[in-house]
């Protein structure tokens, strides 16, 4: 099944497809296709090309680089980008702090931060989760005490993805410990070169360095770096997380990997050479792929409904459904690839001189890495609670 496009939308799709396949350097697209880890320079280069063409932050207000597109065109933009193996704009900038600043910050703060955020001249890190405040984010303890024209920040953040590249970090802090925990939280923008900020790497189960701890010791942050009002950041955090959950269901990327999995299944021979059969001929494998394709189609249509019914830039409550199902399917596809690779999937330490295909050697590290998907952006258990309360009224 394919979405029926008008002539104008079909032309727009072709424009996006041509741009993504001709303007983004091939080596960057090849790295995405191989599911390799991109360098900082590759991510920056790609997003700056998109921003120059007005394609980095289409969900922002038009005065700050956004596009007045229909929900369908935003979907086409995202779908074609992922189909072409183009890195999506850095989420911390494009989908998280950028929309929050555009919605809640002063005009002065917008002028200062939004242009460099769209162009990735500032690499933002996310300072939300803490060792004892992950899914229960409102329990955060990092404190910010007003001292003249500065806040003094002390505490710790964890699981800070790509924080080793961060120039600034948008940080939830507790500014009033004497009220209900959701009511005493503020949002500060902190320059990560400020004395007292320390980034410590966390090594992941796949051996990578993708996440970090960030420590704050008597870090002095100017008052003008407060976003919106003091003690009102719980509303801003919900707004940000709603946007994150819409984007955390990467339908296009998951469809792309599933299409690759079909190709890989067709390259793995089974039985005798004379028979010429492959894993794709196995009815259990083909059925499993078909079921995943159907579920992804249903998720894609749900994503379109969520975007179409989001008012005033505020994500629809059903964004939790996207987060829940999207990450489950993302994990299911990585598990499928491991199964297709078979014994070759344990050869993750083999180098490029190996006779085994890269996708097979890389299958297990990717599988392990995506165990995180059902946790970040609010764990899937929390999403089920949100769905029960806000959608089902239970």
């Amino acid at each position: 099944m394919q979405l029926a496009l008008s002539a104008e939308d079909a032309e727009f799709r072709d424009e996006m497809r041509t741009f993504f396949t001709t303007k983004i350097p091939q080596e960057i697209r090849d790295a995405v296709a191989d599911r390799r880890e991109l360098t900082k320079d590759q991510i920056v280069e790609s997003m700056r090309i998109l921003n120059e063409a007005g394609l980095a932050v289409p969900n922002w207000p038009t005065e700050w680089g956004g596009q007045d597109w229909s929900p369908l065109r935003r979907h086409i933009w995202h779908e074609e980008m992922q189909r072409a193996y183009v890195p999506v704009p850095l989420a911390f900038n494009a989908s998280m702090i950028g929309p929050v600043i555009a919605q809640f910050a002063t005009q002065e703060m917008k002028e200062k931060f939004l242009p460099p955020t769209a162009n990735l001249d500032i690499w933002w890190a996310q300072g939300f989760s803490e060792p004892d405040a992950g899914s229960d984010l409102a329990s955060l303890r990092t404190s910010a005490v007003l001292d003249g024209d500065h806040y003094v920040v002390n505490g710790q953040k964890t699981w800070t993805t790509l924080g080793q590249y961060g120039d600034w970090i948008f940080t939830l802090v507790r500014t009033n410990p004497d009220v209900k925990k959701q009511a005493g939280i503020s949002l500060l923008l902190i320059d990560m070169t400020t004395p007292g900020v320390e980034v410590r790497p966390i090594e992941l189960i796949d051996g990578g360095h993708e996440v970090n701890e960030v420590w704050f010791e008597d870090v002095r942050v100017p008052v003008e770096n407060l976003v919106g009002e003091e003690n009102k950041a719980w509303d801003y955090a919900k707004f940000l997380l709603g946007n994150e959950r819409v984007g955390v269901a990467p339908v296009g990327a998951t469809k792309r990997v599933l299409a690759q999995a079909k190709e890989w299944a067709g390259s793995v021979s089974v039985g005798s050479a004379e028979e010429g059969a492959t894993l794709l001929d196995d009815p259990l494998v083909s059925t499993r792929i078909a079921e995943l394709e159907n579920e992804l189609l249903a998720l894609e249509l749900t994503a379109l409904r969520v975007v179409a019914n989001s008012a005033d830039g505020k994500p629809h409550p059903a964004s939790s459904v996207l987060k829940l199902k999207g990450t489950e399917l993302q994990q299911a596809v990585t598990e499928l690839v491991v199964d297709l690779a078979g014994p070759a999937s344990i050869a993750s330490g083999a180098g490029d001189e190996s006779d085994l295909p890269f996708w097979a050697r890389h299958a297990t590290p990717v599988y392990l890495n995506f165990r995180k998907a059902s946790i970040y952006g609010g764990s899937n258990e929390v999403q089920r609670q949100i769905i029960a309360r806000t959608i089902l009224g239970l």
Side-chain angles (χ1 to χ4, degrees), residues 52-168:
E52 184 178 8
L55 299 176
V57 289
N59 57 312
W60 289 15
T62 54
E63 62 265 35
W64 301 112
Q67 299 285 350
D68 189 20
W69 287 341
S70 67
L72 178 58
R73 290 204 172 187
R74 290 201 299 273
H75 173 79
I76 293 171
W77 163 81
H78 199 252
E79 178 84 356
E80 292 301 325
M81 184 188 309
Q82 293 180 93
R83 185 195 301 272
Y85 304 109
V86 172
V88 297
L90 185 68
F92 311 111
N93 288 42
S95 304
M96 297 185 189
I97 192 58
V100 168
I101 291 174
Q103 182 81 4
F104 300 107
T106 63
Q107 182 67 18
E108 181 181 6
M109 183 174 281
K110 293 175 184 179
E111 293 173 356
K112 177 179 179 179
F113 287 109
L114 287 180
T117 295
N119 202 48
L120 205 43
D121 297 327
I122 295 175
W123 184 298
W124 286 97
Q126 182 182 18
F128 276 30
S129 295
E130 298 183 5
D132 296 315
S135 297
D136 184 16
L137 184 59
S139 296
L140 65 90
R141 294 183 295 184
T142 296
S143 65
V145 178
L146 191 60
D147 180 25
D149 58 358
H150 285 73
Y151 288 100
V152 179
V153 178
N154 284 278
Q156 176 192 1
K157 298 294 178 178
T158 194
W159 308 123
T160 309
T161 303
L162 301 181
Q164 68 269 33
Y165 300 146
D167 301 306
W168 287 71

Side-chain angles (χ1 to χ4, degrees), residues 144-324:
V145 178
L146 191 60
D147 180 25
D149 58 358
H150 285 73
Y151 288 100
V152 179
V153 178
N154 284 278
Q156 176 192 1
K157 298 294 178 178
T158 194
W159 308 123
T160 309
T161 303
L162 301 181
Q164 68 269 33
Y165 300 146
D167 301 306
W168 287 71
I169 182 169
F170 52 95
T171 314
L172 290 179
V173 295
R174 187 161 302 284
T175 43
N176 188 344
D178 300 322
V179 295
K180 180 182 176 181
K181 59 183 182 181
Q182 288 89 348
I185 297 173
S186 299
L187 179 61
L188 292 179
L189 308 181
I190 302 177
D191 185 337
M192 295 184 75
T193 64
T194 306
V197 178
E198 181 182 0
V199 179
R200 303 177 188 175
I202 299 174
E203 184 175 342
L204 298 179
I205 192 171
D206 66 354
H209 170 206
E210 186 180 24
V211 294
N212 306 266
E213 298 175 314
V214 180
W215 293 79
F216 304 95
E217 183 176 355
D218 294 331
V219 177
R220 297 186 65 83
V221 180
V223 169
E224 59 262 30
N225 288 5
L226 173 72
V227 178
E229 299 179 53
E230 187 176 85
N231 299 321
K232 298 293 186 181
W234 188 245
D235 291 336
Y236 314 153
K238 289 190 294 183
F239 176 89
L240 183 150
L241 289 170
N243 279 289
E244 181 184 5
R245 287 165 191 156
V246 172
V248 92
V251 177
T254 306
K255 286 170 61 179
R256 183 186 70 213
V257 176
L258 183 57
Q260 288 178 304
K262 290 175 69 174
E263 295 179 5
W264 296 330
S267 70
V268 179
S269 299
V270 295
S272 65
E274 292 77 15
E275 294 173 343
T278 70
L279 278 177
L280 201 57
D281 298 308
D282 186 319
L284 294 178
V285 173
S286 58
T287 298
R288 187 172 170 188
I289 291 173
E291 289 175 344
L292 288 169
E293 288 176 331
N294 287 336
E295 291 193 72
L296 278 167
L297 175 59
L299 181 66
E300 180 178 20
L301 297 176
T302 302
L304 281 170
R305 286 197 300 270
V306 169
V307 173
N309 289 284
S310 296
D312 301 324
K314 297 179 181 179
H316 192 274
S319 61
S320 290
V321 176
L322 298 182
K323 198 280 176 181
L324 173 62

